Amino acid sequence: TNTYVIEIDTESVTYLENNYPKLHGKIIAKDFLKYNINEVFEGKPFAIIGNFPYNISTQIVFKMLELRHQIPEFSGMFQKEVAERICEKKGSKAYGILSVLVQAFYDAEYLFTVNEDVFIPPPKVKSGVLRLRRKANFTLPCSEKLLFTVVKTAFQQRRKTLRNSLKTLNLTDNLREDTIFDLRPEQLSVEQFIALTQKIEADGV
């Protein structure tokens, strides 16, 4: 198996080149969010593992979702609250857009917490390590683009019922009578969001 390292910081790239000769020719000195990963992988599958910069960690997850057809496994360290959010189940305040969209395609497992004192200098937050394994069947029975829209629109007004938060989707009165619209987004499981998207799709949105 080939291992590639993506690192934007020039000092870190120099350190890796000087201390890890096995990585010679395998270090990509680029911004992961802007880099076309298929310059290296050419459409083939690959796994991602990393200690991600916390300020862009959610953007990294969304990029992973865009490349989900190539990424069967993803592991890494996030700020603890973000890692928990990704793995959270319905019914809690932490459950949100990231939880639903990641778990639509991956089985998410929170592995362990990393305390501040193991770092020098110690950060002000705890960290959490998670593992995502892509589901055997990760093709959804609904429009994936519409699912993203429904989930994001619903959670942008998470205290409202779906009947109110999804008004902008111009649903028919007949569909809006469905009892699922009495719920708030945090009350719906991933499967229910997929079923809801199917109903909206059938409604002609």
Side-chain angles (χ1 to χ4, degrees), residues 44-69:
K44 295 176 183 141
F46 61 94
I48 292 178
I49 183 168
N51 174 13
F52 306 113
Y54 291 174
N55 60 323
I56 60 164
S57 61
T58 55
Q59 292 169 268
I60 289 172
V61 172
F62 279 117
K63 179 157 184 178
M64 176 208 70
L65 289 176
E66 289 175 19
L67 295 165
R68 59 188 175 274
H69 298 281

PDB file of all heavy atoms in Angstrom, residues 44-69:
ATOM      1  N   LYS A  44      -8.948   5.926  -7.948  1.00  0.00           N
ATOM      2  CA  LYS A  44      -8.893   4.667  -7.194  1.00  0.00           C
ATOM      3  C   LYS A  44      -9.247   4.910  -5.725  1.00  0.00           C
ATOM      4  O   LYS A  44      -9.141   6.027  -5.224  1.00  0.00           O
ATOM      5  CB  LYS A  44      -7.491   4.067  -7.301  1.00  0.00           C
ATOM      6  CG  LYS A  44      -7.134   3.663  -8.718  1.00  0.00           C
ATOM      7  CD  LYS A  44      -5.704   3.174  -8.793  1.00  0.00           C
ATOM      8  CE  LYS A  44      -5.352   2.847 -10.248  1.00  0.00           C
ATOM      9  NZ  LYS A  44      -4.002   3.229 -10.595  1.00  0.00           N
ATOM     10  N   PRO A  45      -9.643   3.849  -4.999  1.00  0.00           N
ATOM     11  CA  PRO A  45      -9.995   4.011  -3.581  1.00  0.00           C
ATOM     12  C   PRO A  45      -8.779   4.333  -2.711  1.00  0.00           C
ATOM     13  O   PRO A  45      -7.666   3.906  -3.001  1.00  0.00           O
ATOM     14  CB  PRO A  45     -10.581   2.643  -3.183  1.00  0.00           C
ATOM     15  CG  PRO A  45     -10.610   1.806  -4.388  1.00  0.00           C
ATOM     16  CD  PRO A  45      -9.844   2.487  -5.471  1.00  0.00           C
ATOM     17  N   PHE A  46      -9.035   5.071  -1.627  1.00  0.00           N
ATOM     18  CA  PHE A  46      -7.989   5.359  -0.654  1.00  0.00           C
ATOM     19  C   PHE A  46      -8.654   5.659   0.686  1.00  0.00           C
ATOM     20  O   PHE A  46      -9.828   6.027   0.753  1.00  0.00           O
ATOM     21  CB  PHE A  46      -7.116   6.547  -1.097  1.00  0.00           C
ATOM     22  CG  PHE A  46      -7.867   7.844  -1.261  1.00  0.00           C
ATOM     23  CD1 PHE A  46      -7.939   8.763  -0.230  1.00  0.00           C
ATOM     24  CD2 PHE A  46      -8.495   8.146  -2.463  1.00  0.00           C
ATOM     25  CE1 PHE A  46      -8.626   9.959  -0.380  1.00  0.00           C
ATOM     26  CE2 PHE A  46      -9.185   9.347  -2.631  1.00  0.00           C
ATOM     27  CZ  PHE A  46      -9.254  10.253  -1.582  1.00  0.00           C
ATOM     28  N   ALA A  47      -7.900   5.463   1.766  1.00  0.00           N
ATOM     29  CA  ALA A  47      -8.376   5.780   3.119  1.00  0.00           C
ATOM     30  C   ALA A  47      -7.689   7.062   3.579  1.00  0.00           C
ATOM     31  O   ALA A  47      -6.609   7.398   3.111  1.00  0.00           O
ATOM     32  CB  ALA A  47      -8.067   4.631   4.073  1.00  0.00           C
ATOM     33  N   ILE A  48      -8.342   7.773   4.507  1.00  0.00           N
ATOM     34  CA  ILE A  48      -7.771   9.000   5.063  1.00  0.00           C
ATOM     35  C   ILE A  48      -7.593   8.819   6.564  1.00  0.00           C
ATOM     36  O   ILE A  48      -8.489   8.321   7.246  1.00  0.00           O
ATOM     37  CB  ILE A  48      -8.689  10.212   4.806  1.00  0.00           C
ATOM     38  CG1 ILE A  48      -8.732  10.547   3.310  1.00  0.00           C
ATOM     39  CG2 ILE A  48      -8.215  11.436   5.592  1.00  0.00           C
ATOM     40  CD1 ILE A  48      -9.644  11.706   2.973  1.00  0.00           C
ATOM     41  N   ILE A  49      -6.437   9.224   7.062  1.00  0.00           N
ATOM     42  CA  ILE A  49      -6.208   9.268   8.505  1.00  0.00           C
ATOM     43  C   ILE A  49      -5.457  10.553   8.815  1.00  0.00           C
ATOM     44  O   ILE A  49      -4.583  10.958   8.040  1.00  0.00           O
ATOM     45  CB  ILE A  49      -5.423   8.028   9.008  1.00  0.00           C
ATOM     46  CG1 ILE A  49      -5.273   8.064  10.529  1.00  0.00           C
ATOM     47  CG2 ILE A  49      -4.057   7.916   8.328  1.00  0.00           C
ATOM     48  CD1 ILE A  49      -4.777   6.762  11.134  1.00  0.00           C
ATOM     49  N   GLY A  50      -5.828  11.220   9.898  1.00  0.00           N
ATOM     50  CA  GLY A  50      -5.128  12.460  10.184  1.00  0.00           C
ATOM     51  C   GLY A  50      -5.478  13.067  11.525  1.00  0.00           C
ATOM     52  O   GLY A  50      -6.474  12.720  12.159  1.00  0.00           O
ATOM     53  N   ASN A  51      -4.601  13.970  11.956  1.00  0.00           N
ATOM     54  CA  ASN A  51      -4.885  14.854  13.082  1.00  0.00           C
ATOM     55  C   ASN A  51      -5.222  16.190  12.433  1.00  0.00           C
ATOM     56  O   ASN A  51      -4.333  16.947  12.046  1.00  0.00           O
ATOM     57  CB  ASN A  51      -3.659  14.959  13.992  1.00  0.00           C
ATOM     58  CG  ASN A  51      -3.860  15.975  15.093  1.00  0.00           C
ATOM     59  OD1 ASN A  51      -4.971  16.429  15.341  1.00  0.00           O
ATOM     60  ND2 ASN A  51      -2.777  16.350  15.750  1.00  0.00           N
ATOM     61  N   PHE A  52      -6.500  16.455  12.259  1.00  0.00           N
ATOM     62  CA  PHE A  52      -6.933  17.536  11.380  1.00  0.00           C
ATOM     63  C   PHE A  52      -6.889  18.903  12.064  1.00  0.00           C
ATOM     64  O   PHE A  52      -7.186  19.006  13.254  1.00  0.00           O
ATOM     65  CB  PHE A  52      -8.355  17.251  10.881  1.00  0.00           C
ATOM     66  CG  PHE A  52      -8.483  15.897  10.245  1.00  0.00           C
ATOM     67  CD1 PHE A  52      -9.256  14.906  10.837  1.00  0.00           C
ATOM     68  CD2 PHE A  52      -7.805  15.600   9.082  1.00  0.00           C
ATOM     69  CE1 PHE A  52      -9.346  13.644  10.268  1.00  0.00           C
ATOM     70  CE2 PHE A  52      -7.893  14.341   8.501  1.00  0.00           C
ATOM     71  CZ  PHE A  52      -8.666  13.361   9.097  1.00  0.00           C
ATOM     72  N   PRO A  53      -6.530  19.956  11.298  1.00  0.00           N
ATOM     73  CA  PRO A  53      -6.611  21.310  11.866  1.00  0.00           C
ATOM     74  C   PRO A  53      -8.055  21.583  12.286  1.00  0.00           C
ATOM     75  O   PRO A  53      -8.969  21.465  11.472  1.00  0.00           O
ATOM     76  CB  PRO A  53      -6.195  22.213  10.691  1.00  0.00           C
ATOM     77  CG  PRO A  53      -5.492  21.307   9.724  1.00  0.00           C
ATOM     78  CD  PRO A  53      -6.093  19.959   9.903  1.00  0.00           C
ATOM     79  N   TYR A  54      -8.252  21.908  13.550  1.00  0.00           N
ATOM     80  CA  TYR A  54      -9.620  21.971  14.076  1.00  0.00           C
ATOM     81  C   TYR A  54     -10.472  23.050  13.407  1.00  0.00           C
ATOM     82  O   TYR A  54     -11.683  22.916  13.294  1.00  0.00           O
ATOM     83  CB  TYR A  54      -9.590  22.177  15.592  1.00  0.00           C
ATOM     84  CG  TYR A  54      -9.059  20.963  16.353  1.00  0.00           C
ATOM     85  CD1 TYR A  54      -8.837  21.003  17.718  1.00  0.00           C
ATOM     86  CD2 TYR A  54      -8.774  19.776  15.672  1.00  0.00           C
ATOM     87  CE1 TYR A  54      -8.339  19.894  18.404  1.00  0.00           C
ATOM     88  CE2 TYR A  54      -8.283  18.673  16.348  1.00  0.00           C
ATOM     89  CZ  TYR A  54      -8.065  18.732  17.713  1.00  0.00           C
ATOM     90  OH  TYR A  54      -7.589  17.634  18.366  1.00  0.00           O
ATOM     91  N   ASN A  55      -9.810  24.111  12.922  1.00  0.00           N
ATOM     92  CA  ASN A  55     -10.595  25.195  12.328  1.00  0.00           C
ATOM     93  C   ASN A  55     -11.171  24.849  10.959  1.00  0.00           C
ATOM     94  O   ASN A  55     -12.094  25.507  10.481  1.00  0.00           O
ATOM     95  CB  ASN A  55      -9.754  26.476  12.231  1.00  0.00           C
ATOM     96  CG  ASN A  55      -8.518  26.291  11.375  1.00  0.00           C
ATOM     97  OD1 ASN A  55      -7.891  25.238  11.386  1.00  0.00           O
ATOM     98  ND2 ASN A  55      -8.160  27.314  10.617  1.00  0.00           N
ATOM     99  N   ILE A  56     -10.653  23.805  10.302  1.00  0.00           N
ATOM    100  CA  ILE A  56     -11.200  23.402   9.001  1.00  0.00           C
ATOM    101  C   ILE A  56     -11.666  21.948   9.004  1.00  0.00           C
ATOM    102  O   ILE A  56     -11.919  21.367   7.954  1.00  0.00           O
ATOM    103  CB  ILE A  56     -10.186  23.621   7.858  1.00  0.00           C
ATOM    104  CG1 ILE A  56      -8.901  22.796   8.089  1.00  0.00           C
ATOM    105  CG2 ILE A  56      -9.874  25.093   7.666  1.00  0.00           C
ATOM    106  CD1 ILE A  56      -8.029  22.667   6.845  1.00  0.00           C
ATOM    107  N   SER A  57     -11.799  21.366  10.193  1.00  0.00           N
ATOM    108  CA  SER A  57     -12.096  19.928  10.251  1.00  0.00           C
ATOM    109  C   SER A  57     -13.443  19.577   9.625  1.00  0.00           C
ATOM    110  O   SER A  57     -13.575  18.556   8.943  1.00  0.00           O
ATOM    111  CB  SER A  57     -12.028  19.421  11.694  1.00  0.00           C
ATOM    112  OG  SER A  57     -12.984  20.077  12.502  1.00  0.00           O
ATOM    113  N   THR A  58     -14.458  20.419   9.820  1.00  0.00           N
ATOM    114  CA  THR A  58     -15.763  20.092   9.221  1.00  0.00           C
ATOM    115  C   THR A  58     -15.696  20.218   7.703  1.00  0.00           C
ATOM    116  O   THR A  58     -16.329  19.442   6.982  1.00  0.00           O
ATOM    117  CB  THR A  58     -16.885  20.984   9.778  1.00  0.00           C
ATOM    118  OG1 THR A  58     -16.543  22.351   9.606  1.00  0.00           O
ATOM    119  CG2 THR A  58     -17.105  20.719  11.256  1.00  0.00           C
ATOM    120  N   GLN A  59     -14.905  21.178   7.198  1.00  0.00           N
ATOM    121  CA  GLN A  59     -14.749  21.294   5.748  1.00  0.00           C
ATOM    122  C   GLN A  59     -14.062  20.055   5.171  1.00  0.00           C
ATOM    123  O   GLN A  59     -14.378  19.615   4.064  1.00  0.00           O
ATOM    124  CB  GLN A  59     -13.924  22.542   5.407  1.00  0.00           C
ATOM    125  CG  GLN A  59     -14.643  23.850   5.709  1.00  0.00           C
ATOM    126  CD  GLN A  59     -13.686  25.027   5.614  1.00  0.00           C
ATOM    127  OE1 GLN A  59     -13.080  25.441   6.596  1.00  0.00           O
ATOM    128  NE2 GLN A  59     -13.526  25.567   4.429  1.00  0.00           N
ATOM    129  N   ILE A  60     -13.134  19.485   5.926  1.00  0.00           N
ATOM    130  CA  ILE A  60     -12.467  18.254   5.495  1.00  0.00           C
ATOM    131  C   ILE A  60     -13.480  17.119   5.412  1.00  0.00           C
ATOM    132  O   ILE A  60     -13.467  16.318   4.462  1.00  0.00           O
ATOM    133  CB  ILE A  60     -11.306  17.906   6.448  1.00  0.00           C
ATOM    134  CG1 ILE A  60     -10.167  18.913   6.248  1.00  0.00           C
ATOM    135  CG2 ILE A  60     -10.803  16.478   6.217  1.00  0.00           C
ATOM    136  CD1 ILE A  60      -9.041  18.804   7.261  1.00  0.00           C
ATOM    137  N   VAL A  61     -14.390  17.054   6.378  1.00  0.00           N
ATOM    138  CA  VAL A  61     -15.420  16.007   6.356  1.00  0.00           C
ATOM    139  C   VAL A  61     -16.320  16.174   5.139  1.00  0.00           C
ATOM    140  O   VAL A  61     -16.657  15.192   4.461  1.00  0.00           O
ATOM    141  CB  VAL A  61     -16.248  16.025   7.659  1.00  0.00           C
ATOM    142  CG1 VAL A  61     -17.436  15.083   7.550  1.00  0.00           C
ATOM    143  CG2 VAL A  61     -15.375  15.637   8.841  1.00  0.00           C
ATOM    144  N   PHE A  62     -16.714  17.400   4.833  1.00  0.00           N
ATOM    145  CA  PHE A  62     -17.574  17.616   3.668  1.00  0.00           C
ATOM    146  C   PHE A  62     -16.846  17.263   2.376  1.00  0.00           C
ATOM    147  O   PHE A  62     -17.447  16.742   1.437  1.00  0.00           O
ATOM    148  CB  PHE A  62     -18.092  19.054   3.630  1.00  0.00           C
ATOM    149  CG  PHE A  62     -19.267  19.284   4.535  1.00  0.00           C
ATOM    150  CD1 PHE A  62     -19.186  20.164   5.609  1.00  0.00           C
ATOM    151  CD2 PHE A  62     -20.465  18.602   4.337  1.00  0.00           C
ATOM    152  CE1 PHE A  62     -20.269  20.365   6.452  1.00  0.00           C
ATOM    153  CE2 PHE A  62     -21.557  18.794   5.179  1.00  0.00           C
ATOM    154  CZ  PHE A  62     -21.458  19.683   6.230  1.00  0.00           C
ATOM    155  N   LYS A  63     -15.542  17.519   2.314  1.00  0.00           N
ATOM    156  CA  LYS A  63     -14.777  17.109   1.126  1.00  0.00           C
ATOM    157  C   LYS A  63     -14.728  15.592   1.040  1.00  0.00           C
ATOM    158  O   LYS A  63     -14.830  15.016  -0.052  1.00  0.00           O
ATOM    159  CB  LYS A  63     -13.364  17.693   1.150  1.00  0.00           C
ATOM    160  CG  LYS A  63     -12.553  17.263  -0.067  1.00  0.00           C
ATOM    161  CD  LYS A  63     -11.414  18.172  -0.419  1.00  0.00           C
ATOM    162  CE  LYS A  63     -10.736  17.701  -1.709  1.00  0.00           C
ATOM    163  NZ  LYS A  63      -9.629  18.569  -2.141  1.00  0.00           N
ATOM    164  N   MET A  64     -14.585  14.925   2.189  1.00  0.00           N
ATOM    165  CA  MET A  64     -14.612  13.461   2.204  1.00  0.00           C
ATOM    166  C   MET A  64     -15.938  12.951   1.650  1.00  0.00           C
ATOM    167  O   MET A  64     -15.979  11.990   0.881  1.00  0.00           O
ATOM    168  CB  MET A  64     -14.411  12.959   3.633  1.00  0.00           C
ATOM    169  CG  MET A  64     -14.523  11.448   3.763  1.00  0.00           C
ATOM    170  SD  MET A  64     -15.072  10.893   5.401  1.00  0.00           S
ATOM    171  CE  MET A  64     -16.786  11.412   5.406  1.00  0.00           C
ATOM    172  N   LEU A  65     -17.049  13.595   2.044  1.00  0.00           N
ATOM    173  CA  LEU A  65     -18.362  13.165   1.559  1.00  0.00           C
ATOM    174  C   LEU A  65     -18.463  13.312   0.041  1.00  0.00           C
ATOM    175  O   LEU A  65     -19.069  12.482  -0.632  1.00  0.00           O
ATOM    176  CB  LEU A  65     -19.474  13.952   2.251  1.00  0.00           C
ATOM    177  CG  LEU A  65     -19.702  13.619   3.727  1.00  0.00           C
ATOM    178  CD1 LEU A  65     -20.762  14.535   4.321  1.00  0.00           C
ATOM    179  CD2 LEU A  65     -20.102  12.159   3.912  1.00  0.00           C
ATOM    180  N   GLU A  66     -17.866  14.363  -0.498  1.00  0.00           N
ATOM    181  CA  GLU A  66     -17.857  14.530  -1.956  1.00  0.00           C
ATOM    182  C   GLU A  66     -17.100  13.385  -2.633  1.00  0.00           C
ATOM    183  O   GLU A  66     -17.438  12.979  -3.746  1.00  0.00           O
ATOM    184  CB  GLU A  66     -17.179  15.854  -2.331  1.00  0.00           C
ATOM    185  CG  GLU A  66     -17.981  17.102  -1.999  1.00  0.00           C
ATOM    186  CD  GLU A  66     -17.185  18.370  -2.284  1.00  0.00           C
ATOM    187  OE1 GLU A  66     -16.190  18.305  -3.048  1.00  0.00           O
ATOM    188  OE2 GLU A  66     -17.546  19.419  -1.729  1.00  0.00           O
ATOM    189  N   LEU A  67     -16.086  12.864  -1.947  1.00  0.00           N
ATOM    190  CA  LEU A  67     -15.239  11.803  -2.512  1.00  0.00           C
ATOM    191  C   LEU A  67     -15.611  10.420  -1.971  1.00  0.00           C
ATOM    192  O   LEU A  67     -14.817   9.487  -2.061  1.00  0.00           O
ATOM    193  CB  LEU A  67     -13.772  12.100  -2.176  1.00  0.00           C
ATOM    194  CG  LEU A  67     -13.187  13.374  -2.800  1.00  0.00           C
ATOM    195  CD1 LEU A  67     -11.872  13.748  -2.119  1.00  0.00           C
ATOM    196  CD2 LEU A  67     -12.973  13.192  -4.294  1.00  0.00           C
ATOM    197  N   ARG A  68     -16.811  10.298  -1.396  1.00  0.00           N
ATOM    198  CA  ARG A  68     -17.177   9.064  -0.680  1.00  0.00           C
ATOM    199  C   ARG A  68     -17.098   7.805  -1.547  1.00  0.00           C
ATOM    200  O   ARG A  68     -16.881   6.707  -1.020  1.00  0.00           O
ATOM    201  CB  ARG A  68     -18.573   9.196  -0.071  1.00  0.00           C
ATOM    202  CG  ARG A  68     -19.680   9.465  -1.073  1.00  0.00           C
ATOM    203  CD  ARG A  68     -21.003   9.767  -0.362  1.00  0.00           C
ATOM    204  NE  ARG A  68     -22.061  10.140  -1.284  1.00  0.00           N
ATOM    205  CZ  ARG A  68     -22.267  11.369  -1.734  1.00  0.00           C
ATOM    206  NH1 ARG A  68     -21.486  12.349  -1.334  1.00  0.00           N
ATOM    207  NH2 ARG A  68     -23.251  11.621  -2.582  1.00  0.00           N
ATOM    208  N   HIS A  69     -17.251   7.939  -2.846  1.00  0.00           N
ATOM    209  CA  HIS A  69     -17.171   6.762  -3.718  1.00  0.00           C
ATOM    210  C   HIS A  69     -15.763   6.169  -3.737  1.00  0.00           C
ATOM    211  O   HIS A  69     -15.594   5.008  -4.081  1.00  0.00           O
ATOM    212  CB  HIS A  69     -17.607   7.135  -5.140  1.00  0.00           C
ATOM    213  CG  HIS A  69     -19.035   7.607  -5.206  1.00  0.00           C
ATOM    214  ND1 HIS A  69     -20.102   6.730  -5.187  1.00  0.00           N
ATOM    215  CD2 HIS A  69     -19.573   8.848  -5.241  1.00  0.00           C
ATOM    216  CE1 HIS A  69     -21.241   7.421  -5.219  1.00  0.00           C
ATOM    217  NE2 HIS A  69     -20.945   8.710  -5.240  1.00  0.00           N
TER     218      HIS A  69
END
